[in-house]
Amino acid sequence: AESIASKAWTRYVWEKVESVFVQGFVATGRASSVSVNLAPSKQLFSTVDDEEASNIVLVVGLNLNLEQAYKILDRGPAADDTVKAAKFRSFWGEKSELRRFKDGSILEAVLWGNEDMDVNGDLCEAI
């Protein structure tokens, strides 16, 4: 039987992973929803041996918005919105930078390489 501490830790990890994927995909418009589930590894993989059968696997599903999923630039909050800009920078880290756009706005933004890259793969790796 799983201990209370183990259940609490599992719940914490589940909630943290869900929060990160919501912020990285749903908040940027790349996905309309995120589904995070826990499942015993023996239900997902037929090659699991007895020792690994009790392991729990975290499964993340994304309902991608195909019009937004492969964009190479995520625009964040305006630089003068210091609270939101700080949260954006905190989440994206080194990837975040201030950029000036043609309309004169200055926003936090994350550039994901170029159109030849696997943008969502790069995004998943960053998250």
Side-chain angles (χ1 to χ4, degrees), residues 43-94:
Q43 288 182 354
L44 298 175
F45 306 105
S46 60
T47 59
V48 173
D49 61 29
D50 290 339
E51 188 175 303
E52 297 173 321
S54 63
N55 290 349
I56 300 294
V57 177
L58 187 69
V59 180
V60 177
L62 297 169
N63 186 9
L64 293 177
N65 174 355
L66 294 180
E67 294 175 5
Q68 297 290 318
Y70 297 99
K71 63 185 177 183
I72 62 170
L73 180 74
D74 283 323
R75 292 180 182 216
D80 59 1
D81 188 341
T82 57
V83 173
K84 287 182 180 178
K87 285 182 180 181
F88 189 88
R89 281 191 308 275
S90 174
F91 181 76
W92 291 113
E94 295 177 0

Side-chain angles (χ1 to χ4, degrees), residues 4 7 10 20 23 26 29-30 48 91 98 103-104 111 121:
I4 292 173
K7 285 181 182 179
T10 301
V20 167
Q23 193 168 352
V26 177
R30 291 179 184 277
V48 173
F91 181 76
L98 278 178
D103 66 0
L111 181 63

Side-chain angles (χ1 to χ4, degrees), residues 107-125:
L107 308 175
E108 289 290 337
V110 176
L111 181 63
W112 297 105
N114 59 52
E115 293 175 8
D116 296 331
M117 294 178 64
D118 175 10
V119 174
N120 285 319
D122 195 26
L123 180 61
C124 285
E125 187 176 314

Side-chain angles (χ1 to χ4, degrees), residues 12 15 32 53 70 105 108 111 127:
Y12 168 79
E15 288 174 353
S32 59
Y70 297 99
S105 62
E108 289 290 337
L111 181 63
I127 289 177

